[in-house]
Amino acid sequence: MAAYSGRGVHGQTVRLLGERVLSGRIAEGETIDLAALSDELDLSLTAIREAIKVLAAKGLVGSRQRKGTFVRARADWNLLDPDVVRWQIAAGAGDVFFRNLAELREALEPAAARLAALRGTAEDVAALRAAVADMAESGEATPEAAADADLRWHRALLAATRNELYTRTDVFFAAGLSERDRLVHGGAHKDPVPSHAAVTEAVAAGDPVAAEQAMRSLLDQAREDLLRATGEGAHHDDLEKPQ
């Protein structure tokens, strides 16, 4: 799922409308008055309709005869889409989203590390080590470069499970992990290299217990880094408890 690449006025319009839907400013089930939007934003109806097409592709809106264009139920939204992830965060739902992401990673990644240690090949280990090296090199680079190296490491770990269903689970967290890493790497945080290297070397040694334990430690550090990045200790409860 690639992020929407529209730029200029069209891209800004898509983002604006997306954020309005994700924030609830345009509520689920609500009919969208395209003519009113055209007047408000000083854009042609054609431009508004083109933006609506992008939102429809992400499951946010639909259209029916007589009802017109309307916001679909949240259950229909593609919440894993990279743009929808960003719009959720921009709309102020970042705490809940990152809590959900952390819970998902805790369920998937320790088991993935165990399988990788049991099944990973020399090529898998080389890919993991290359990603760790890139993390080290990107330490003084942009948050985007650091996030990219981190994501490549996690994808390499999933690939090392030799389970194609595990490999495909990156769609569940890739977009969110990228946004989380950009936030974390944009501020003060612990060096991610040692924790990722520990998992990598446990996989290389074929030690499933050590790999799983190292991944749990990595996730503990990830949680602490996120709390530090948000700057509010109160967020700890948000990451631990359903709301």
Side-chain angles (χ1 to χ4, degrees), residues 8-76:
V9 173
H10 177 58
Q12 292 172 7
T13 305
V14 171
R15 184 178 69 252
L16 173 66
L17 297 183
E19 289 179 4
R20 286 188 181 185
V21 171
L22 268 294
S23 68
R25 181 173 173 182
I26 307 178
E28 294 177 56
E30 182 177 340
T31 298
I32 301 175
D33 189 332
L34 302 187
L37 276 176
S38 175
D39 290 340
E40 176 192 347
L41 303 177
D42 193 23
L43 294 171
S44 68
L45 270 175
T46 298
I48 296 296
R49 290 192 180 105
E50 288 301 312
I52 289 293
K53 285 181 182 178
V54 177
L55 300 189
K58 299 175 185 297
L60 300 181
V61 301
S63 60
R64 291 177 185 160
Q65 211 169 17
R66 297 181 181 176
K67 186 173 184 179
T69 301
F70 65 98
V71 177
R72 300 179 66 177
R74 186 180 179 88
D76 296 327

Side-chain angles (χ1 to χ4, degrees), residues 16-222:
L16 173 66
L17 297 183
E19 289 179 4
R20 286 188 181 185
V21 171
L22 268 294
S23 68
R25 181 173 173 182
I26 307 178
E28 294 177 56
E30 182 177 340
T31 298
I32 301 175
D33 189 332
L34 302 187
L37 276 176
S38 175
D39 290 340
E40 176 192 347
L41 303 177
D42 193 23
L43 294 171
S44 68
L45 270 175
T46 298
I48 296 296
R49 290 192 180 105
E50 288 301 312
I52 289 293
K53 285 181 182 178
V54 177
L55 300 189
K58 299 175 185 297
L60 300 181
V61 301
S63 60
R64 291 177 185 160
Q65 211 169 17
R66 297 181 181 176
K67 186 173 184 179
T69 301
F70 65 98
V71 177
R72 300 179 66 177
R74 186 180 179 88
D76 296 327
W77 299 354
N78 185 353
L79 295 175
L80 303 177
D81 180 274
D83 293 312
V84 177
V85 168
R86 279 193 289 273
W87 296 338
Q88 288 184 76
I89 296 169
D95 288 346
V96 174
F97 175 80
F98 287 129
R99 181 203 72 205
N100 291 342
L101 176 64
E103 290 174 353
L104 182 63
R105 293 182 66 192
E106 287 169 2
L108 287 174
E109 292 191 299
R114 170 181 283 273
L115 288 176
L118 292 170
R119 301 173 180 171
T121 65
E123 289 76 14
D124 293 322
V125 171
L128 288 166
R129 285 173 172 162
V132 170
D134 287 344
M135 281 185 209
E137 292 180 3
S138 67
E140 300 300 324
T142 64
E144 289 74 16
D148 179 69
D150 188 280
L151 182 57
R152 281 188 282 111
W153 185 89
H154 287 275
R155 282 178 165 153
L157 181 72
L158 293 174
T161 66
R162 297 294 144 189
N163 179 321
E164 64 180 5
L165 297 183
Y166 255 100
T167 301
R168 300 294 178 86
T169 60
D170 77 322
V171 302
F172 296 132
F173 64 79
L177 184 61
S178 293
E179 291 305 309
R180 176 244 172 234
D181 284 346
R182 287 189 184 95
L183 174 63
V184 168
H185 289 292
H189 62 280
K190 290 183 179 178
D191 183 359
V193 171
S195 59
H196 287 75
V199 178
T200 297
E201 296 313 312
V203 169
D207 188 334
V209 174
E212 181 174 352
Q213 291 175 341
M215 177 54 75
R216 293 192 185 282
S217 295
L218 185 156
L219 291 173
D220 287 342
Q221 178 177 325

